[in-house]
């Protein structure tokens, strides 16, 4: 492994100007001059772009501008010790020690771990004091090399991915906190924040375990450690991976730089939150945490990948569906015949026949149709992402595009995404020469996985799946009478079963996936979408109605939750019924299923259609026969409300709930 820093990469006791940009440019010139980057301007621009996201100055007269750049050929450190300190945005003043950390786009894990180790070392006063006292460039190089040299880890020890003050656990009575640190590049701030928090926790006598979600790899905290924690700190500038593992814990969430600048305050805030019953808490459910464990079974991995793909696909469908609905509202159903011509040949200053409404209708319809065109590629791309991380995205999107091209639709997207993800993950495990590692995630894996997954779709799977998709669409289009009602009943029962859980999501995903095949001539997918949305609105509305019809059956907290459930139900947020189900699952869930099933069956029987995949009552303009849609919801709501009242009155072995009984309060934001 080449040295990360050499004497020619050190500028000692220089005046490099008064602005961070001038210092960064000089360091970029050193990197290029040492033959470790190909172009000054590109490296300089990438470092400045990262600087614009978050200031890189940190307490102690330090600054750590850093970036990933395609111009960098090997991971590199460059240091400037300034005679005239420059303000890099630290709270305590300008910096006289400036490290530029430059990593290639595809830097391998060993190099990134070393860069992370340096970032943590910069938080230690003896190391920075030695840097200031060094007389020559060679001394600087020796100091840096001494702290980043790999050191053996004793069996059972804590790796650098999980920094903890007391890895073996805390003594009885000591407060326990867990933390996650993460920044956009995952090179410096992630690890420096972790180091600062650990030091502050140690000074406060608090047991702290930190999970660093950076470029050096991720080792997730033990679920037992999370379960025992009194509070959690998220010092992050990006989404927390596996956030659901911390569900229900009091949380302090701040930008990652505050983990470096104000670690003691964050520890105090977390301790206060742990003792405050009204403190903000991490949302979600802890049941999803098992999917993040390394021991998950193949079936669990596939399930997680499918749900990930669906969750990333839904925004394309939601926006696209609403825009198509607006296009029909403004331009009429005939807009499908002229949208391409109108959008290409007309403008605001050259309106088509029909005027402004026709033009805007065509524009909205076309934007929506193009958005819907990403349905299958996005589904496949993010299924592959869930399996193989970023190297799987491109092969997944390509396989999804192939599935769409061959007419394999939603099912083809699932198959293509799984193939791409498995292929990318398999090639990522290959032991390749070090010189080839940087090319693996950005060139070789996407190329080979695309060939494998898309090739199999073209040569083997695409045709049969396309035939199956065609048969399924013809079956759905030909459904009438009892078969359509039965499908609506089944989908309604699924929507009411677990109120936003996996079964509910399967029914919803089935409806959303079909929207891409809907046309004016084939309205069955729109009918299914209307049935699913109407059924999903029933459980919270039914619980809200029940609290009004017979208040004495519900606690004070439940009656308050009932007020919020009116809005949640009208918005198609099935989770609004969860507080009621948590308190009385064996009465609330059966009643919700019956009511939702009735609504789904009625919606299908009446041929109600919805071009919007979400929004409830607030997307009325996208729902044909809106009066029948609303009537189906009202009937299902009344059925479910009356049934839950009957069950609470007569199907019980315990006395009625008293007025001061409590259940978890429903918090809306």
């Amino acid at each position: 492994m080449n040295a990360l820093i050499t004497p020619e990469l050190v500028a000692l006791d220089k005046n490099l100007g008064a602005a961070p940009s001038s210092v960064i440019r000089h360091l970029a010139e050193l990197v290029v001059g040492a033959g470790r980057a190909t172009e000054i301007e590109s490296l300089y621009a990438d470092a400045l772009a990262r600087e614009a996201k978050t200031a890189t100055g940190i307490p102690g007269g330090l600054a750590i501008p850093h970036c990933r750049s395609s111009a960098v050929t090997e991971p590199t450190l460059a240091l400037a010790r300034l005679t005239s300190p420059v303000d890099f945005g630290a709270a305590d003043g300008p910096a006289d020690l400036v490290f530029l950390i430059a990593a290639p786009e595809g830097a391998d894990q060993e190099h990134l771990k070393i860069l992370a180790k340096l970032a943590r070392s910069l938080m230690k006063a003896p190391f920075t004091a030695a840097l200031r006292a060094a007389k020559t460039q060679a001394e600087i190089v020796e100091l840096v090399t001494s702290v980043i040299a790999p050191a053996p880890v004793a069996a059972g020890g804590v790796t650098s991915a999980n920094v903890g003050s007391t890895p073996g656990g805390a003594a009885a009575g000591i407060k326990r906190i867990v933390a996650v640190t993460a920044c956009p590049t995952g090179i410096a701030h992630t690890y420096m924040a972790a180091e600062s928090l650990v030091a502050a926790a140690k000074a406060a006598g608090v047991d702290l375990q930190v999970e660093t979600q950076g470029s050096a790899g991720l080792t997730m905290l033990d679920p037992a450690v999370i379960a025992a924690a009194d509070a959690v700190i998220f010092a992050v500038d990006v989404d927390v991976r596996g956030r659901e593992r911390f569900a229900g814990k009091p949380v302090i969430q701040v930008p990652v730089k505050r983990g470096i600048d104000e670690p003691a305050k964050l520890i105090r805030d977390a301790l206060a939150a742990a003792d405050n019953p009204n403190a903000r808490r991490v949302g979600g459910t802890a049941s999803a945490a098992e999917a993040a464990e390394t021991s998950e079974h193949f079936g669990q991995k596939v399930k997680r990948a499918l749900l990930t793909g669906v969750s990333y696909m839904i925004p394309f469908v939601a926006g696209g569906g609403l825009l198509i609905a607006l296009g029909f509202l403004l331009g009429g159903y005939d807009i499908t015949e002229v949208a391409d011509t109108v959008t290409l040949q007309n403008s605001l200053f050259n309106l088509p026949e029909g005027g402004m409404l026709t033009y805007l209708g065509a524009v909205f319809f076309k934007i929506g149709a193009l958005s819907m065109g990403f349905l299958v590629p996005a589904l496949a791309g993010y299924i592959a992402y869930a399996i193989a991380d970023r190297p799987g995205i491109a092969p997944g999107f390509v396989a999804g595009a192939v599935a769409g091209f061959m007419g394999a639709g939603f099912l083809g997207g699932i198959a293509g995404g799984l193939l791409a993800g498995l292929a990318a993950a398999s090639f990522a495990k290959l032991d390749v020469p070090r010189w080839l590692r940087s090319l693996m995630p950005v060139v070789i894996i996407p190329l080979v996985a695309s060939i494998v997954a898309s090739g199999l779709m073209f040569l083997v799977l695409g045709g049969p799946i396309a035939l199956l998709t065609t048969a399924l669409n013809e079956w759905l289009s030909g459904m009438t009478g009892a078969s359509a009602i039965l499908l609506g009943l089944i989908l309604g029962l699924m929507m009411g079963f677990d109120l936003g859980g996996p079964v509910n999501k399967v029914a919803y995903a089935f409806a959303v996936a079909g929207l891409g095949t809907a046309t004016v001539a084939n309205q069955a997918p729109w009918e299914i979408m209307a049935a699913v949305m109407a059924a999903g609105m029933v459980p919270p509305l039914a619980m809200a109605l029940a609290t009004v019809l017979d208040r004495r059956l519900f606690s004070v907290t439940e009656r308050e939750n009932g007020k919020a459930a009116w809005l949640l139900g009208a918005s198609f947020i099935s989770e609004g019924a969860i507080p009621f189900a948590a308190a009385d699952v064996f009465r609330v869930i059966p009643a919700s299923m019956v009511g939702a099933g009735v609504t789904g069956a009625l919606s299908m029987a009446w041929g109600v259609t919805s071009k919007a995949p979400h929004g409830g009552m607030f997307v009325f303009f996208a729902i044909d026969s809106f009066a029948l849609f609303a009537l189906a919801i009202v009937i299902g709501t009344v059925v479910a409300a009356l049934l839950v009242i009957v069950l609470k009155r007569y199907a019980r072995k315990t006395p009625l709930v008293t007025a001061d009984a409590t259940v978890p309060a429903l918090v809306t934001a």
Side-chain angles (χ1 to χ4, degrees), residues 38 81 111 184 203 250 296 304 308 373 381 387 415 427 443 473 504 516 614:
T38 58
R81 193 171 71 189
H111 275 115
E296 66 180 350
R304 174 172 57 83
T308 299
I387 296 173
F427 281 101
V443 177
N473 289 335
N504 174 288
H614 214 292

Side-chain angles (χ1 to χ4, degrees), residues 520-668:
V520 175
N522 174 27
Q523 299 196 16
W526 290 337
E527 293 177 2
I528 292 171
M529 189 70 255
V532 165
M533 183 155 64
M537 295 166 65
V538 166
L541 291 174
M543 296 306 107
L545 178 61
T547 61
V548 174
L549 295 177
D550 198 338
R551 293 169 56 85
R552 67 191 183 90
L553 294 174
F554 300 91
S555 69
V556 173
T557 304
E558 285 178 313
R559 294 199 290 269
E560 287 300 312
N561 287 339
K563 296 176 182 177
W566 287 112
L567 179 60
L568 295 174
S571 304
F572 181 36
I573 301 176
S574 304
E575 290 84 347
I578 287 178
F580 301 91
D584 196 0
V585 63
F586 294 111
R587 295 175 182 82
V588 171
I589 293 298
S592 296
M593 290 177 65
V594 171
V598 168
T599 293
L602 289 175
S603 179
M604 289 295 289
W606 293 337
V608 178
T609 64
S610 173
K611 302 172 191 67
H614 214 292
M617 294 293 187
F618 300 100
V619 290
F620 60 90
F621 58 86
I623 300 171
D624 291 330
S625 304
F626 181 74
L628 292 176
F629 177 80
L631 180 59
I633 294 170
V634 169
I635 293 173
T637 297
V638 171
V639 168
L642 293 177
L643 184 55
V644 79
I645 289 172
V646 169
L647 292 175
K648 281 181 173 288
R649 281 185 180 177
Y650 304 112
R652 65 167 56 250
K653 295 182 180 180
T654 57
L656 295 179
V657 177
T658 58
D660 59 350
T662 60
V663 296
L666 179 67
V667 178
T668 59

Side-chain angles (χ1 to χ4, degrees), residues 110-330:
E110 291 305 314
H111 275 115
L112 292 172
K113 287 178 181 177
I114 292 174
L115 294 177
K117 196 169 185 179
L118 170 70
R120 287 193 294 269
S121 298
L122 288 173
M123 302 310 298
K124 298 175 180 178
F127 175 61
T128 55
L131 291 175
R132 289 188 171 97
K135 303 296 185 184
T136 65
Q137 286 96 333
E139 284 185 55
I140 294 286
V141 171
E142 184 178 352
L143 283 168
V144 173
T145 303
S146 68
V147 300
I148 64 177
V153 180
V158 178
T159 69
S160 63
N162 285 73
V163 183
S165 55
T166 56
I174 295 180
K175 287 288 188 181
R176 297 176 174 89
I177 299 174
V178 291
V180 175
T181 60
C183 69
T185 52
I187 294 175
H189 283 76
T190 299
Y191 304 97
M192 300 174 83
E195 198 70 28
S196 295
L197 287 168
V198 167
K202 185 176 181 180
V206 174
D207 178 73
L208 175 70
Q209 303 288 322
V210 184
E211 177 178 297
T212 52
Q213 298 189 356
S215 295
L218 167 63
T219 300
M220 291 186 170
L221 288 168
D222 190 312
V225 172
I226 297 174
D230 298 296
V232 58
I233 297 171
F234 291 151
V236 296
D237 288 335
V238 294
D239 290 339
V240 175
R241 296 178 63 180
R243 185 185 181 95
E244 68 280 347
R245 295 173 293 143
F246 305 90
K249 295 291 181 184
V251 61
I252 302 297
Q253 181 161 346
V254 297
V256 66
K257 196 167 184 298
R258 285 191 57 191
I260 301 172
D261 295 342
E262 305 173 4
K265 182 179 185 301
L266 294 182
I267 297 296
R268 291 195 300 272
D269 290 346
L271 293 175
D275 295 329
N276 181 3
N278 297 317
R280 178 189 176 194
R281 295 177 182 270
V282 181
T285 58
S287 61
E290 291 184 6
E293 295 182 27
T294 56
S295 60
E296 66 180 350
H297 301 300
F298 178 75
Q300 292 174 316
K301 291 181 180 178
V302 171
K303 172 187 170 184
R304 174 172 57 83
L306 293 177
L307 291 177
T308 299
V310 170
S311 68
Y312 279 99
M313 172 195 76
I314 286 174
F316 290 97
V317 182
L322 287 170
L323 285 165
I324 288 174
L326 283 171
F328 285 139
L329 178 67
L330 297 175

